[in-house]
Amino acid sequence: MDIGAVFQLDPPASSVVDLAVMAEQAGFSHVWSFDSHLLWQEPFVIYSQILARTERVMVGPMVTNPGTRDWSVTASHFATLNEMFGNRTVCGIGRGDSALRTLGLKPTTIAELRSCVKAVRDLAEGRVADVRGQRIHLPWVKDGSLPVWVAAYGPRALALTGEVGDGFILQLADPDIAAWTIGAVKAAAEKASRDPDSLTFCVAAPAYVGDDLAHQREQTRWFGGMVGNHVADLLERYGADGSAVPKALTDYIKGRKDYDYAEHGRAGNTHTDFVPDEIIDRFCVLGPVEDHLARLKELSDLGVDQFAVYLQHDDNENTLAAYGEHIIPAVAGL
């Protein structure tokens, strides 16, 4: 199992680059970042510095979306970085949350996401792509490679992932929900005559190594609120009877009220009191090293290829170091 690291792009950007260097030195395989340009700094500018300071890690957004950039611009960003640094980028993409909602826009449609996945990958790899009915290409791309991993929760997005994605990103670490989503993606891949084992399966969630579980919960409660934004969309579309989306994913947002994107993804978020401890324990990976190893073994047994660690709490560097010293060597063979 690979281990990735996910950073927010708060200034100064140089600190994020330093953390990325630390992650590579600790054995992390991927360096990811949020992509929400009003809340944090611009990722593609920072990626160039991360790639210049590292030699091995793959770099990309977790996740971008089809709505905030022209698709050809997104592809050109990736293709340029790949030309400079040797095909070391990966595109995580979804329908969009904070990047669009802070602009007063809604997440994009499943149809737009499907078209964008194909177009960005085709353009970044030097092929002609259909971008909203226009056939275009980047003539300067040579030997480009861009895996596109789709973030999804609901049935239609999971089906899309199996049909067109190179990988799947599940943004929570609950084994039961992971089993359901991975099964749905694999079934969709088989139905589309694709090899399900050709896809990469990634689970992303906050991780905090230590013994003070109560403190860790308070530092990661924000994550349940962030996931709740997507769950609310699912409830609106599919209802709450559990026939389309498991109640294990939806029941906890009954007490959800307003959400302030000014505190999005931040420890101490005051709008996430509705998130119970049980959800934090299921969605995140907390506790001492042995608890992390036990959860990662569960996820690996379900077919998860990478665990991406959200590092947004008050002990990021120590958790990063603990993963490098104790966890990455132990899960390398999983």
Side-chain angles (χ1 to χ4, degrees):
M1 175 184 276
D2 287 338
I3 304 292
V6 187
F7 300 117
Q8 288 175 348
L9 302 182
D10 291 309
S14 58
S15 294
V16 179
V17 177
D18 289 343
L19 282 170
V21 172
M22 290 175 58
E24 178 172 86
Q25 293 171 345
F28 286 75
S29 62
H30 290 63
V31 169
W32 304 91
S33 82
F34 285 37
D35 178 10
S36 193
H37 62 287
L38 295 186
L39 300 179
W40 298 287
Q41 292 183 307
E42 168 56 36
F44 286 97
V45 176
I46 297 174
Y47 295 161
S48 66
Q49 294 299 305
I50 292 174
L51 289 162
R53 293 266 313 272
T54 57
E55 297 179 354
R56 175 185 51 79
V57 289
M58 299 288 289
V59 177
M62 187 172 283
V63 294
T64 193
N65 69 86
T68 52
R69 294 181 179 86
D70 180 87
W71 304 349
S72 64
V73 173
T74 300
S76 184
H77 282 322
F78 283 114
T80 301
L81 292 171
N82 284 339
E83 188 278 325
M84 294 174 68
F85 300 105
N87 287 336
R88 288 176 53 207
T89 66
V90 55
C91 177
I93 191 168
R95 292 179 57 219
D97 181 30
S98 62
L100 290 169
R101 296 188 198 271
T102 53
L103 295 171
L105 303 173
K106 293 182 179 181
T108 58
T109 67
I110 294 293
E112 286 179 297
L113 178 58
R114 179 188 300 274
S115 296
C116 183
V117 167
K118 295 178 180 178
V120 168
R121 182 172 53 215
D122 283 343
L123 290 170
E125 294 185 346
R127 296 184 294 276
V128 174
D130 185 324
V131 178
R132 300 187 176 94
Q134 185 75 24
R135 302 286 288 173
I136 62 173
H137 77 295
L138 302 176
W140 47 269
V141 173
K142 300 290 187 289
D143 301 319
S145 175
L146 182 68
V148 181
W149 298 6
V150 183
Y153 293 107
R156 294 175 65 221
L158 293 169
L160 177 156
T161 304
E163 291 160 5
V164 302
D166 298 302
F168 165 53
I169 297 170
L170 173 64
Q171 291 169 303
L172 55 83
D174 180 274
D176 291 337
I177 296 172
W180 173 71
T181 55
I182 290 171
V185 170
K186 287 188 172 183
E190 289 180 346
K191 188 175 181 180
S193 299
R194 302 181 70 202
D195 179 4
D197 293 332
S198 69
L199 276 70
T200 301
F201 294 90
C202 174
V203 161
Y208 194 138
V209 176
D211 297 318
D212 189 345
L213 188 58
H215 178 72
Q216 292 177 10
R217 286 169 174 160
E218 290 310 310
Q219 285 288 302
T220 55
R221 197 175 302 275
W222 64 267
F223 185 66
M226 186 181 82
V227 173
N229 294 326
H230 301 285
V231 173
D233 288 342
L234 296 180
L235 286 178
E236 184 177 342
R237 174 174 291 276
Y238 298 105
D241 64 2
S243 60
V245 181
K247 286 181 174 290
L249 179 58
T250 60
D251 272 358
Y252 83 97
I253 72 161
K254 291 176 181 177
R256 179 180 181 269
K257 298 179 181 178
D258 293 334
Y259 186 84
D260 186 354
Y261 277 93
E263 297 181 322
H264 184 64
R266 298 192 183 279
N269 187 321
T270 59
H271 296 79
T272 57
D273 290 345
F274 70 93
V275 181
D277 289 350
E278 178 212 356
I279 287 294
I280 302 168
D281 294 347
R282 283 173 40 207
F283 284 13
C284 304
V285 183
L286 310 177
V289 167
E290 54 266 29
D291 290 353
H292 290 246
L293 292 175
R295 178 70 64 85
L296 296 184
K297 177 64 165 58
E298 282 188 86
L299 294 172
S300 176
D301 288 346
L302 293 172
V304 174
D305 300 297
Q306 180 181 151
F307 177 57
V309 180
Y310 278 104
L311 288 169
Q312 286 83 41
H313 52 66
D314 63 359
D315 201 27
N316 293 334
E317 290 191 16
N318 285 333
T319 291
L320 189 153
Y323 262 72
E325 183 176 355
H326 302 293
I327 296 173
I328 291 175
V331 303
L334 293 180

Short mmCIF file of all heavy atoms in Angstrom, two decimals, residues 127-161:
data_model
loop_
_atom_site.label_atom_id
_atom_site.label_comp_id
_atom_site.label_asym_id
_atom_site.label_seq_id
_atom_site.Cartn_x
_atom_site.Cartn_y
_atom_site.Cartn_z
N ARG A 127 -3.45 13.71 -27.27
CA ARG A 127 -4.48 13.32 -28.22
C ARG A 127 -5.47 14.45 -28.47
O ARG A 127 -5.57 15.39 -27.67
CB ARG A 127 -5.22 12.07 -27.71
CG ARG A 127 -4.35 10.84 -27.60
CD ARG A 127 -5.17 9.62 -27.18
NE ARG A 127 -5.71 9.75 -25.84
CZ ARG A 127 -5.04 9.44 -24.73
NH1 ARG A 127 -3.79 9.01 -24.80
NH2 ARG A 127 -5.61 9.57 -23.55
N VAL A 128 -6.19 14.33 -29.55
CA VAL A 128 -7.28 15.26 -29.84
C VAL A 128 -8.42 14.99 -28.86
O VAL A 128 -8.75 13.84 -28.58
CB VAL A 128 -7.76 15.12 -31.29
CG1 VAL A 128 -8.98 16.01 -31.54
CG2 VAL A 128 -6.64 15.47 -32.27
N ALA A 129 -9.01 16.06 -28.35
CA ALA A 129 -10.09 15.92 -27.38
C ALA A 129 -11.30 16.74 -27.81
O ALA A 129 -11.18 17.75 -28.51
CB ALA A 129 -9.63 16.39 -26.00
N ASP A 130 -12.44 16.28 -27.36
CA ASP A 130 -13.68 17.01 -27.59
C ASP A 130 -13.96 17.87 -26.36
O ASP A 130 -14.23 17.34 -25.28
CB ASP A 130 -14.84 16.03 -27.82
CG ASP A 130 -16.14 16.73 -28.19
OD1 ASP A 130 -16.39 17.82 -27.66
OD2 ASP A 130 -16.91 16.18 -28.99
N VAL A 131 -13.88 19.18 -26.52
CA VAL A 131 -14.16 20.10 -25.44
C VAL A 131 -15.38 20.92 -25.81
O VAL A 131 -15.32 21.84 -26.62
CB VAL A 131 -12.96 21.03 -25.14
CG1 VAL A 131 -13.30 22.02 -24.02
CG2 VAL A 131 -11.73 20.20 -24.74
N ARG A 132 -16.53 20.50 -25.27
CA ARG A 132 -17.81 21.16 -25.52
C ARG A 132 -18.09 21.31 -27.02
O ARG A 132 -18.48 22.37 -27.50
CB ARG A 132 -17.86 22.50 -24.80
CG ARG A 132 -17.70 22.39 -23.28
CD ARG A 132 -17.92 23.71 -22.58
NE ARG A 132 -17.86 23.53 -21.13
CZ ARG A 132 -16.76 23.71 -20.40
NH1 ARG A 132 -15.62 24.05 -20.98
NH2 ARG A 132 -16.79 23.54 -19.09
N GLY A 133 -17.84 20.22 -27.73
CA GLY A 133 -18.16 20.19 -29.16
C GLY A 133 -17.05 20.67 -30.06
O GLY A 133 -17.17 20.58 -31.29
N GLN A 134 -15.95 21.15 -29.51
CA GLN A 134 -14.82 21.64 -30.31
C GLN A 134 -13.68 20.64 -30.24
O GLN A 134 -13.24 20.25 -29.15
CB GLN A 134 -14.35 23.00 -29.77
CG GLN A 134 -13.25 23.65 -30.59
CD GLN A 134 -13.75 24.23 -31.89
OE1 GLN A 134 -14.93 24.55 -32.01
NE2 GLN A 134 -12.88 24.37 -32.86
N ARG A 135 -13.18 20.20 -31.37
CA ARG A 135 -12.06 19.26 -31.42
C ARG A 135 -10.75 20.04 -31.35
O ARG A 135 -10.44 20.86 -32.22
CB ARG A 135 -12.11 18.44 -32.71
CG ARG A 135 -13.39 17.65 -32.90
CD ARG A 135 -13.46 16.44 -31.98
NE ARG A 135 -12.53 15.38 -32.39
CZ ARG A 135 -12.30 14.28 -31.69
NH1 ARG A 135 -12.91 14.11 -30.52
NH2 ARG A 135 -11.47 13.38 -32.13
N ILE A 136 -9.99 19.82 -30.28
CA ILE A 136 -8.75 20.57 -30.05
C ILE A 136 -7.66 19.62 -29.58
O ILE A 136 -7.92 18.49 -29.19
CB ILE A 136 -8.94 21.69 -29.01
CG1 ILE A 136 -9.32 21.09 -27.65
CG2 ILE A 136 -9.99 22.70 -29.47
CD1 ILE A 136 -9.37 22.11 -26.53
N HIS A 137 -6.41 20.12 -29.64
CA HIS A 137 -5.31 19.35 -29.09
C HIS A 137 -4.16 20.29 -28.73
O HIS A 137 -4.17 21.47 -29.09
CB HIS A 137 -4.84 18.26 -30.06
CG HIS A 137 -4.00 18.75 -31.19
ND1 HIS A 137 -4.48 19.60 -32.17
CD2 HIS A 137 -2.69 18.51 -31.50
CE1 HIS A 137 -3.51 19.84 -33.05
NE2 HIS A 137 -2.42 19.21 -32.65
N LEU A 138 -3.20 19.75 -27.96
CA LEU A 138 -1.99 20.48 -27.59
C LEU A 138 -0.85 19.91 -28.43
O LEU A 138 -0.29 18.86 -28.09
CB LEU A 138 -1.69 20.31 -26.10
CG LEU A 138 -2.80 20.75 -25.13
CD1 LEU A 138 -2.41 20.42 -23.69
CD2 LEU A 138 -3.10 22.23 -25.27
N PRO A 139 -0.49 20.56 -29.53
CA PRO A 139 0.45 19.95 -30.49
C PRO A 139 1.86 19.76 -29.95
O PRO A 139 2.64 18.97 -30.50
CB PRO A 139 0.44 20.94 -31.66
CG PRO A 139 0.01 22.24 -31.06
CD PRO A 139 -0.95 21.88 -29.97
N TRP A 140 2.19 20.44 -28.86
CA TRP A 140 3.55 20.36 -28.32
C TRP A 140 3.74 19.21 -27.33
O TRP A 140 4.86 18.96 -26.88
CB TRP A 140 3.91 21.68 -27.64
CG TRP A 140 2.85 22.20 -26.71
CD1 TRP A 140 1.83 23.05 -27.01
CD2 TRP A 140 2.70 21.88 -25.32
NE1 TRP A 140 1.05 23.29 -25.90
CE2 TRP A 140 1.56 22.59 -24.85
CE3 TRP A 140 3.41 21.08 -24.42
CZ2 TRP A 140 1.13 22.50 -23.53
CZ3 TRP A 140 2.98 20.99 -23.11
CH2 TRP A 140 1.84 21.70 -22.68
N VAL A 141 2.68 18.50 -26.98
CA VAL A 141 2.79 17.42 -26.00
C VAL A 141 3.42 16.20 -26.66
O VAL A 141 2.97 15.73 -27.70
CB VAL A 141 1.42 17.05 -25.41
CG1 VAL A 141 1.53 15.82 -24.52
CG2 VAL A 141 0.85 18.23 -24.62
N LYS A 142 4.45 15.67 -26.03
CA LYS A 142 5.12 14.46 -26.50
C LYS A 142 5.27 13.49 -25.31
O LYS A 142 5.82 13.85 -24.28
CB LYS A 142 6.51 14.78 -27.07
CG LYS A 142 6.50 15.75 -28.24
CD LYS A 142 5.90 15.09 -29.48
CE LYS A 142 6.03 16.00 -30.70
NZ LYS A 142 5.13 17.18 -30.65
N ASP A 143 4.76 12.27 -25.48
CA ASP A 143 4.91 11.22 -24.47
C ASP A 143 4.33 11.63 -23.11
O ASP A 143 4.86 11.25 -22.06
CB ASP A 143 6.40 10.84 -24.30
CG ASP A 143 7.01 10.35 -25.59
OD1 ASP A 143 6.32 9.60 -26.31
OD2 ASP A 143 8.16 10.73 -25.89
N GLY A 144 3.23 12.37 -23.14
CA GLY A 144 2.60 12.76 -21.89
C GLY A 144 1.83 11.61 -21.26
O GLY A 144 1.33 10.71 -21.95
N SER A 145 1.71 11.62 -19.93
CA SER A 145 0.94 10.61 -19.22
C SER A 145 0.24 11.29 -18.04
O SER A 145 0.90 11.94 -17.23
CB SER A 145 1.85 9.49 -18.71
OG SER A 145 1.12 8.56 -17.93
N LEU A 146 -1.08 11.14 -17.97
CA LEU A 146 -1.82 11.76 -16.87
C LEU A 146 -2.92 10.82 -16.39
O LEU A 146 -4.01 10.77 -16.98
CB LEU A 146 -2.43 13.10 -17.28
CG LEU A 146 -3.19 13.81 -16.15
CD1 LEU A 146 -2.23 14.27 -15.06
CD2 LEU A 146 -3.99 14.99 -16.69
N PRO A 147 -2.69 10.07 -15.30
CA PRO A 147 -3.79 9.31 -14.72
C PRO A 147 -4.79 10.25 -14.08
O PRO A 147 -4.41 11.22 -13.42
CB PRO A 147 -3.09 8.43 -13.67
CG PRO A 147 -1.81 9.12 -13.37
CD PRO A 147 -1.41 9.87 -14.60
N VAL A 148 -6.08 9.98 -14.30
CA VAL A 148 -7.15 10.81 -13.74
C VAL A 148 -7.95 9.96 -12.76
O VAL A 148 -8.56 8.96 -13.15
CB VAL A 148 -8.05 11.37 -14.85
CG1 VAL A 148 -9.15 12.25 -14.23
CG2 VAL A 148 -7.24 12.19 -15.85
N TRP A 149 -7.93 10.36 -11.49
CA TRP A 149 -8.63 9.64 -10.44
C TRP A 149 -9.86 10.45 -10.05
O TRP A 149 -9.77 11.65 -9.77
CB TRP A 149 -7.74 9.46 -9.21
CG TRP A 149 -6.49 8.65 -9.44
CD1 TRP A 149 -6.01 8.17 -10.62
CD2 TRP A 149 -5.55 8.24 -8.44
NE1 TRP A 149 -4.84 7.48 -10.43
CE2 TRP A 149 -4.53 7.51 -9.10
CE3 TRP A 149 -5.47 8.41 -7.06
CZ2 TRP A 149 -3.45 6.96 -8.41
CZ3 TRP A 149 -4.40 7.87 -6.38
CH2 TRP A 149 -3.39 7.15 -7.04
N VAL A 150 -11.01 9.81 -10.00
CA VAL A 150 -12.27 10.49 -9.77
C VAL A 150 -12.71 10.31 -8.32
O VAL A 150 -12.76 9.19 -7.81
CB VAL A 150 -13.37 9.98 -10.71
CG1 VAL A 150 -14.67 10.75 -10.49
CG2 VAL A 150 -12.91 10.10 -12.18
N ALA A 151 -13.04 11.43 -7.66
CA ALA A 151 -13.59 11.40 -6.30
C ALA A 151 -15.10 11.27 -6.39
O ALA A 151 -15.75 12.01 -7.13
CB ALA A 151 -13.21 12.67 -5.54
N ALA A 152 -15.67 10.34 -5.64
CA ALA A 152 -17.10 10.06 -5.77
C ALA A 152 -17.65 9.49 -4.47
O ALA A 152 -16.94 8.85 -3.69
CB ALA A 152 -17.34 9.08 -6.91
N TYR A 153 -18.96 9.70 -4.27
CA TYR A 153 -19.71 9.09 -3.18
C TYR A 153 -20.98 8.40 -3.68
O TYR A 153 -21.31 7.32 -3.24
CB TYR A 153 -20.13 10.14 -2.13
CG TYR A 153 -19.01 10.77 -1.35
CD1 TYR A 153 -18.63 12.09 -1.59
CD2 TYR A 153 -18.37 10.08 -0.33
CE1 TYR A 153 -17.63 12.69 -0.85
CE2 TYR A 153 -17.36 10.68 0.42
CZ TYR A 153 -16.99 11.98 0.14
OH TYR A 153 -16.00 12.57 0.89
N GLY A 154 -21.73 9.07 -4.55
CA GLY A 154 -23.04 8.59 -4.96
C GLY A 154 -23.01 7.59 -6.09
O GLY A 154 -22.00 7.45 -6.79
N PRO A 155 -24.11 6.88 -6.31
CA PRO A 155 -24.16 5.81 -7.32
C PRO A 155 -23.77 6.26 -8.73
O PRO A 155 -23.04 5.55 -9.42
CB PRO A 155 -25.62 5.36 -7.27
CG PRO A 155 -26.06 5.66 -5.88
CD PRO A 155 -25.36 6.93 -5.51
N ARG A 156 -24.25 7.41 -9.18
CA ARG A 156 -23.94 7.84 -10.55
C ARG A 156 -22.47 8.22 -10.70
O ARG A 156 -21.84 7.90 -11.71
CB ARG A 156 -24.84 9.00 -10.96
CG ARG A 156 -26.32 8.62 -11.07
CD ARG A 156 -27.19 9.82 -11.36
NE ARG A 156 -26.89 10.38 -12.67
CZ ARG A 156 -26.82 11.68 -12.93
NH1 ARG A 156 -26.99 12.57 -11.97
NH2 ARG A 156 -26.56 12.10 -14.15
N ALA A 157 -21.92 8.89 -9.71
CA ALA A 157 -20.50 9.26 -9.78
C ALA A 157 -19.61 8.03 -9.65
O ALA A 157 -18.55 7.94 -10.30
CB ALA A 157 -20.18 10.27 -8.68
N LEU A 158 -20.02 7.06 -8.84
CA LEU A 158 -19.25 5.82 -8.72
C LEU A 158 -19.26 5.05 -10.05
O LEU A 158 -18.23 4.49 -10.46
CB LEU A 158 -19.82 4.95 -7.60
CG LEU A 158 -19.66 5.50 -6.18
CD1 LEU A 158 -20.50 4.70 -5.20
CD2 LEU A 158 -18.19 5.51 -5.76
N ALA A 159 -20.41 5.03 -10.71
CA ALA A 159 -20.49 4.36 -12.01
C ALA A 159 -19.59 5.05 -13.03
O ALA A 159 -18.87 4.39 -13.79
CB ALA A 159 -21.94 4.35 -12.49
N LEU A 160 -19.61 6.38 -13.05
CA LEU A 160 -18.75 7.13 -13.95
C LEU A 160 -17.28 6.78 -13.72
O LEU A 160 -16.51 6.60 -14.66
CB LEU A 160 -18.98 8.63 -13.73
CG LEU A 160 -18.13 9.64 -14.51
CD1 LEU A 160 -18.87 10.97 -14.60
CD2 LEU A 160 -16.78 9.90 -13.83
N THR A 161 -16.91 6.68 -12.44
CA THR A 161 -15.52 6.37 -12.10
C THR A 161 -15.10 5.04 -12.70
O THR A 161 -14.01 4.91 -13.29
CB THR A 161 -15.34 6.34 -10.57
OG1 THR A 161 -15.77 7.59 -10.02
CG2 THR A 161 -13.90 6.10 -10.20
#
